[in-house]
Amino acid sequence: MKLKALKGFKDILPGEVELWQELEEFARVLFAQYNFAEIRVPLLEETALFSRAIGDLTDIVEKEMYTFTDKKQTLRPEGTASVIRAVVENGLLVKKPVQRLFTIGPMFRHERPQKGRLRQFHQLDVEVLGSESALVDVELMSLAALFFKELGINVSLEINSLGCKKCRPSYRDALLTFITEHKEKLCGDCQRRSETNPLRVLDCKVPSCREHIADAPSVQDWLCDECSSHFSLVQKGLQELNIDFSLNKFMVRGLDYYCRTTFEFLTKDLGAQAAVAAGGRYDGLVELLGGAKDTPGIGFAMGMERIILLLLQKDEFALDKGVDFFLAGLGKAAEEKVFTLAWQLRQEGFSVALDYEGRSLKAQMKLADRENAHFAVIVGEEELAGGYGVLRSMKDRDAEQRKIPLTLDAFLELTEELPEE
Ligand code: ATP
Ligand code: MG
């Protein structure tokens, strides 16, 4: 029997994993600049957490969740609900009234795998709980904008406001009236949605539906005074920071918990999977999950697979960093010598590879290439007797070989010739 990973589940192999590490490291530094603290939450939660937070009538809860039905437990399809559960359960908002948190890790959704769409995928997830200020909305979008700018990824930002408990019902009615008039022309899913969750019709991907709802009323025209001024402040704040954006009245997002500001960062370089980051405000959610009344919140998540694909399209990301030294010992005694030397070099922070099988010089040089070594150090019987090795640059084939004493000091002197970490 041939064993294979499940469809939509992917190994991240050496060679690519370095890029993931770099991305995570980069994100951690940026998140720290914005004063976010890391939180790690479990992968498995009670099903009720997600069905309540995300909404029973969303695609995620209706068809994408991995649920152990006998145990009523679900692999998390997103991070926000778990982060809020953890914050409420541990009373974090009592200790500090505004919580600025990020979490990094895998999410699980049973959808059709495609390029940039997996069943286990990874998100960088950022949440601010306890502030209603439009400045926080702007700040989060500025964080994402800076993130993509520094990585050299081209994105466009689209924003919308979904209003609040007060103004959304009247918008919903207006939308429903419009949809009902056009109902027979819409797809089966939308006909069903129009009865259960009409806002969902706005983000139907079927081209004919999009055409028929092009003139649907805009939620932005139905905002109450508070929501309208909040939305103006968000736009003003973005303009102040020179962050380009456009308004998208159709952006309702796939989770029921959003209110007021929603936003997406989109790329043109990944075909159908255009969204690289998405989020919005969820002012009622903390309370819904058992936290204090009227606790506001906002957050967004970035899809790491999609970001990695975009980084891989650029050539400046050399994936395999390789090792500083490949130590080639020829003959038993030299092998032992380089084995000890490897131990000393590694204690000094150098990366080292070597051969353990007594291979020929030619075979070992081939290995040094495969390990992408910067230098090879060859130690045969003659060199061993003289207490030196032959230093060969594996990167600059025209460079002359030179002798190097087999002492730590001699190797430390090479530090400047090695690529930086
Ligand atoms: P999409 O419209 O692409 O399905 P979504 O609205 O379902 O996205 P969110 O729940 O907002 O996505 O998740 C935030 C980000 O996570 C997305 O913008 C995307 O980059 C990424 N993402 C979502 N689902 C997947 C998936 N199945 N595989 C890989 N990345 C994903
Ligand atoms: Mg989705």
Side-chain angles (χ1 to χ4, degrees):
M1 179 180 53
K2 228 195 206 154
L3 294 171
K4 279 183 162 173
L6 294 170
K7 202 170 154 207
F9 289 70
K10 204 171 147 270
D11 302 306
I12 303 172
L13 301 176
E16 191 183 316
V17 89
E18 290 78 1
L19 189 51
W20 284 80
Q21 291 166 345
E22 230 174 90
L23 179 61
E24 281 173 23
E25 178 54 27
F26 166 77
R28 281 174 203 283
V29 171
L30 188 64
F31 294 163
Q33 271 176 273
Y34 271 80
N35 187 28
F36 281 88
E38 182 171 4
I39 182 168
R40 298 188 185 187
V41 289
L43 302 192
L44 194 66
E45 299 271 2
E46 262 183 68
T47 305
L49 171 64
F50 302 116
S51 58
R52 202 188 303 172
I54 300 168
D56 278 325
L57 299 171
T58 56
D59 281 358
I60 295 183
V61 174
E62 267 186 334
K63 21 182 208 214
E64 297 174 0
M65 293 205 308
Y66 280 91
T67 296
F68 300 99
T69 46
D70 55 337
K71 299 192 175 65
K72 299 196 172 62
Q73 294 169 348
T74 296
L75 286 171
R76 62 180 191 191
E78 54 106 48
T80 307
S82 311
V83 169
I84 294 178
R85 198 261 318 127
V87 166
V88 171
E89 189 177 337
N90 295 286
L92 299 188
L93 282 165
V94 182
K95 292 172 195 149
K96 205 163 70 176
V98 178
Q99 288 290 328
R100 300 167 66 88
L101 300 167
F102 76 90
T103 193
I104 304 179
M107 306 294 160
F108 303 85
R109 293 184 198 175
H110 191 272
E111 43 187 336
R112 197 166 66 77
Q114 298 162 57
K115 183 178 169 197
R117 189 178 294 287
L118 286 123
R119 290 179 172 174
Q120 177 179 332
F121 62 100
H122 299 75
Q123 287 185 338
L124 298 160
D125 194 22
V126 178
E127 315 283 349
V128 180
L129 302 176
S131 176
E132 204 178 354
S133 168
L135 287 182
V136 174
D137 305 37
V138 175
E139 191 187 33
L140 281 191
M141 287 184 254
S142 82
L143 165 57
L146 183 57
F147 178 94
F148 292 118
K149 184 174 161 217
E150 290 201 356
L151 289 177
I153 291 176
N154 280 325
V155 287
S156 56
L157 168 61
E158 293 185 357
I159 68 171
N160 194 15
S161 173
L162 297 182
C164 64
K165 288 203 286 276
K166 231 167 75 192
C167 49
R168 201 170 337 158
S170 45
Y171 171 65
R172 192 179 177 276
D173 289 346
L175 179 65
L176 194 55
T177 308
F178 177 89
I179 291 174
T180 312
E181 280 164 22
H182 297 79
K183 198 165 170 182
E184 5 22 290
K185 294 173 241 158
L186 302 176
C187 74
D189 267 347
C190 280
Q191 300 199 353
R192 189 175 51 85
R193 285 179 193 129
S194 68
E195 270 147 41
T196 54
N197 198 348
L199 261 71
R200 287 269 84 78
V201 173
L202 293 178
D203 69 350
C204 180
K205 305 282 186 292
V206 177
S208 58
C209 286
R210 297 191 90 110
E211 224 171 89
H212 289 119
I213 57 160
D215 295 327
S218 165
V219 60
Q220 290 162 24
D221 298 331
W222 290 80
L223 300 177
C224 61
D225 288 347
E226 288 90 344
C227 287
S228 176
S229 81
H230 193 273
F231 196 41
S232 307
L233 285 173
V234 169
Q235 296 176 62
K236 199 167 142 253
L238 288 170
Q239 280 155 358
E240 206 110 316
L241 301 186
N242 280 322
I243 296 172
D244 291 336
F245 64 91
S246 56
L247 300 176
N248 178 356
K249 68 169 183 173
F250 294 108
M251 193 207 304
V252 294
R253 313 278 307 110
L255 304 89
D256 276 354
Y257 55 56
Y258 287 114
C259 64
R260 293 195 169 168
T261 319
T262 55
F263 56 96
E264 286 191 3
F265 285 84
L266 306 164
T267 171
K268 290 196 180 75
D269 302 325
L270 281 182
Q273 273 52 257
V276 282
R281 206 161 247 297
Y282 44 78
D283 291 343
L285 188 58
V286 176
E287 182 179 343
L288 184 72
L289 297 179
K293 198 167 178 306
D294 295 330
T295 312
I298 179 169
F300 71 87
M302 315 203 217
M304 294 180 74
E305 275 75 9
R306 295 182 193 177
I307 296 169
I308 293 281
L309 285 171
L310 292 167
L311 293 177
L312 286 171
Q313 288 177 5
K314 302 149 70 76
D315 1 304
E316 75 241 46
F317 284 91
L319 289 183
D320 185 359
K321 285 231 172 66
V323 291
D324 297 327
F325 297 107
F326 187 94
L327 304 182
L330 304 168
K332 200 106 199 99
E335 258 177 43
E336 277 168 21
K337 175 72 191 170
V338 299
F339 190 73
T340 312
L341 182 61
W343 157 243
Q344 294 169 330
L345 291 174
R346 285 167 175 158
Q347 289 180 84
E348 293 300 324
F350 294 110
S351 52
V352 180
L354 58 165
D355 170 52
Y356 313 90
E357 325 295 332
R359 288 189 171 82
S360 69
L361 176 61
K362 196 171 155 207
Q364 291 205 39
M365 288 306 101
K366 219 167 168 182
L367 272 184
D369 259 338
R370 276 204 209 136
E371 297 295 353
N372 197 10
H374 197 80
F375 287 118
V377 179
I378 302 153
V379 185
E381 269 171 42
E382 195 188 316
E383 288 82 13
L384 186 64
Y388 65 90
V390 174
L391 183 75
R392 180 185 289 183
S393 169
M394 302 300 289
K395 301 289 168 194
D396 179 4
R397 293 303 158 104
D398 299 329
E400 286 227 27
Q401 304 198 136
R402 41 188 161 139
K403 286 185 180 177
I404 177 171
L406 295 176
T407 62
L408 208 46
D409 282 347
F411 279 85
L412 284 169
E413 275 174 31
L414 290 172
T415 306
E416 281 185 5
E417 293 182 44
L418 290 166
E420 274 178 52
E421 280 286 306

